[in-house]
Amino acid sequence: MKGNEDKGTKSYNRDFVRSALKLIYTFLTNILFPEELLKTLLKARGTYLSRLGNEGRRALKLLNNIDVDDVRKALREMGKKVLRETRNRRVAIDLHSQPQYHKDKSLLSRIKPNKGTSWGLAQIAIFLLGRKSIFLDVLPITVKNIAEDFKMVMQVVLEELDKFDLRLVRVYADSAVNEVIKFLLGLGVDFVITARYQMYKKYEDKLRDVNITYCGVRYTGFLCVRHVSGAYLVILRKGDGIIAFLVSGEVDVRTAVVLAEDYRERWGVENAFRSLEEFRVRTCDVRKELVLILLCYFLLNVWFLVRSWRRVRLWEFSQALVDFLVFKEMREVVSQGLPQVGELFFVNFS
C-alpha cells in the first residue's frame, strides 16, 4: 500500500514540475535560454555562479547572449496573463535595492549612502496584490538620488501601469521627505506613508479614546492632525504600541483603521523581496547583474503561480526543478545506449 502511495506522489510531483517548466519555457521562447543555463542558475541560487566552477563559467558566457529587455518582456507577458485571470486588480509599488560591490560603478546607483561603500542596482517593482501575487514589471533605476528624482520615477510608473490598463489609486511607502509628500498631493493620489517618531511624539498623550476592532485587531486611541507638509498625520494606538502615518486628506477613525490594515497587506511585497534575496544568483560582473536579477524575478513569478496549485517552499520548488532537469539528462544518456541509470527520487511537497 505504501509503495503505491509513493508511486502516486512521485507521479504527481513529476507532473507538477513539468507544469512549472512548461510555464518557464512558454514565456522564454524569444530568449536564448538553454536548459543548461536554467539548471545552473537554480543550482547556484542564493550564492555566486563562480562556486560552480566550469559550469558557472559556462553559465556566465551564456548570459552574454540574453538581452535585459527580452527578460522584462517575458515578465510583462506573464503579468498580463495573470491580470486577465484576476478580478481584484490591486497593485503595490516598491523601490528595492540590490547591493553590489564592484569597482565599475557606471551602471549602478548609490543607495543607502550611510553605509559608505554600498552601491547597488535599484528597481521599482510593480507587484500585484490580491487573490494571486506576481511581479508585473521591474524597472531599473539609474539615478543617483531617488528622492530628488521621485517625480520622474512616478511618471514612469504611471506610464507602465497604463500599459496594464491599471490606475494608480493609492501609494504606500515606508517613509518620505516633505518634497515627495507635496508632489504626491499635487498628483492627486491618495497615499499612506509611515511617519517617523519625531513627527508624532508630541501628540502621544493627546489621542482620544476609542474602542474599535477590525480584522481581529483592537484599537484604543486615535488622532488626526494637519502636518506641515500639507498632509494629515494619523495616529492610532494598538495595544501598547503606536501606529502613525501620513495621508492625503482628513480621515475618521474607521477609515484610519482600514488604511492601517490595508498597509499591512503591502508586506506581501516585502516578503516577496526576502524570497528574491534567497533565490537571487550573484555575480561580481556588474554587467550581468541586472539580467540575473530579472531572471530571478521571473522564476519567482513561476513559483508564485505554481504554489497556488499546491503549497510548496521556494527552495524545494527550485530543487525539484534541478532534479527533473538532471533526470532528463540521465535519460538522454540512457537513450544513447550507455549503462542504465536508476530513477531519481522527487521531493515530496506535502
Side-chain angles (χ1 to χ4, degrees):
M1 183 72 179
K2 184 178 180 181
N4 291 335
E5 287 179 1
D6 290 343
K7 186 176 180 181
T9 301
K10 285 183 183 179
S11 175
Y12 185 96
N13 287 333
R14 197 172 303 135
D15 292 341
F16 174 81
V17 173
R18 284 191 183 120
S19 299
L21 285 169
K22 183 179 179 181
L23 267 175
I24 291 171
Y25 287 110
T26 296
F27 292 97
L28 289 180
T29 52
N30 296 325
I31 301 175
L32 183 59
F33 196 82
E35 286 188 359
E36 178 188 0
L37 176 58
L38 174 61
K39 178 168 65 71
T40 304
L41 292 178
L42 289 167
K43 286 173 66 176
R45 61 194 178 278
T47 185
Y48 287 87
L49 277 169
S50 56
R51 79 174 181 86
L52 298 180
N54 290 334
E55 185 180 359
R57 283 189 282 274
R58 285 195 299 271
L60 288 171
K61 288 182 180 179
L62 288 170
L63 285 171
N64 288 328
N65 299 319
I66 297 180
D67 187 83
V68 170
D69 289 337
D70 288 339
V71 188
R72 280 195 60 215
K73 180 180 178 182
L75 273 167
R76 287 195 300 267
E77 288 303 314
M78 183 176 285
K80 288 178 181 177
K81 181 179 184 298
V82 174
L83 274 175
R84 287 194 292 268
E85 301 170 354
T86 305
R87 295 178 182 177
N88 187 7
R89 295 190 176 188
R90 291 191 301 152
V91 299
I93 300 167
D94 206 350
L95 297 177
H96 185 56
S97 60
Q98 296 285 358
Q100 181 62 229
Y101 302 91
H102 197 274
K103 291 181 180 179
D104 183 358
K105 310 277 195 307
S106 60
L107 303 180
L108 302 180
S109 305
R110 184 182 292 277
I111 57 168
K112 300 178 182 176
N114 57 317
K115 291 191 177 181
T117 59
S118 179
W119 290 67
L121 294 165
Q123 301 98 40
I124 307 171
I126 304 175
F127 186 82
L128 180 67
L129 293 173
R131 189 169 58 88
K132 287 188 177 180
S133 297
I134 201 164
F135 291 99
L136 297 178
D137 202 354
V138 182
L139 312 174
I141 303 173
T142 56
V143 295
K144 289 192 174 182
N145 191 325
I146 295 173
E148 290 182 3
D149 293 276
F150 188 79
K151 182 176 180 179
M152 179 195 72
V153 167
M154 288 302 299
Q155 287 173 341
V156 174
V157 169
L158 291 172
E159 291 173 3
E160 287 292 312
L161 291 178
D162 188 58
K163 294 176 184 177
F164 289 113
D165 195 26
L166 296 169
R167 183 170 61 91
L168 182 61
V169 176
R170 182 176 293 124
V171 174
Y172 294 90
D174 291 332
S175 61
V177 296
N178 287 344
E179 289 77 10
V180 170
I181 294 172
K182 290 176 181 177
F183 168 72
L184 289 173
L185 287 170
L187 197 61
V189 299
D190 290 337
F191 55 82
V192 179
I193 299 177
T194 304
R196 295 186 294 273
Y197 177 68
Q198 291 80 359
M199 293 180 177
Y200 66 84
K201 62 180 181 180
K202 65 180 181 181
Y203 297 110
E204 285 188 284
D205 59 348
K206 298 180 181 179
L207 274 65
R208 65 181 177 88
D209 292 335
V210 297
N211 186 2
I212 182 170
T213 301
Y214 183 74
C215 294
V217 180
R218 183 168 173 257
Y219 296 88
T220 58
F222 168 72
L223 183 67
C224 180
V225 295
R226 193 69 177 264
H227 185 254
V228 65
S229 64
Y232 282 83
L233 175 64
V234 175
I235 309 169
L236 290 166
R237 184 170 58 240
K238 182 177 72 171
D240 296 330
I242 293 290
I243 299 173
F245 50 86
L246 296 161
V247 294
S248 54
E250 191 172 9
V251 297
D252 59 20
V253 61
R254 294 189 178 277
T255 302
V257 166
V258 170
L259 290 176
E261 291 302 312
D262 282 349
Y263 187 88
R264 283 207 307 167
E265 283 197 34
R266 68 169 290 280
W267 284 104
V269 183
E270 301 299 326
N271 291 333
F273 283 135
R274 291 191 186 99
S275 298
L276 180 67
E277 286 299 322
E278 176 187 341
F279 202 61
R280 182 170 72 97
V281 183
R282 292 166 173 78
T283 173
C284 289
D285 187 342
V286 69
R287 289 173 175 79
K288 295 182 177 68
E289 186 70 14
L290 183 57
V291 174
L292 282 168
I293 290 169
L294 289 172
L295 286 172
C296 287
Y297 275 113
F298 176 82
L299 292 173
L300 269 177
N301 270 351
V302 176
W303 173 57
F304 282 137
L305 289 176
V306 298
R307 75 173 183 175
S308 67
W309 309 337
R310 189 175 187 188
R311 191 169 184 83
V312 54
R313 294 186 182 92
L314 176 62
W315 199 266
E316 293 174 344
F317 162 72
S318 55
Q319 187 58 51
L321 288 178
V322 172
D323 291 345
F324 188 81
L325 291 171
V326 170
F327 181 54
K328 286 182 67 176
E329 291 179 356
M330 294 166 71
R331 283 187 301 181
E332 289 174 2
V333 169
V334 173
S335 67
Q336 294 171 5
L338 296 178
Q340 189 172 0
V341 185
E343 184 171 340
L344 194 70
F345 175 75
F346 281 78
V347 176
N348 185 354
F349 294 117
S350 58

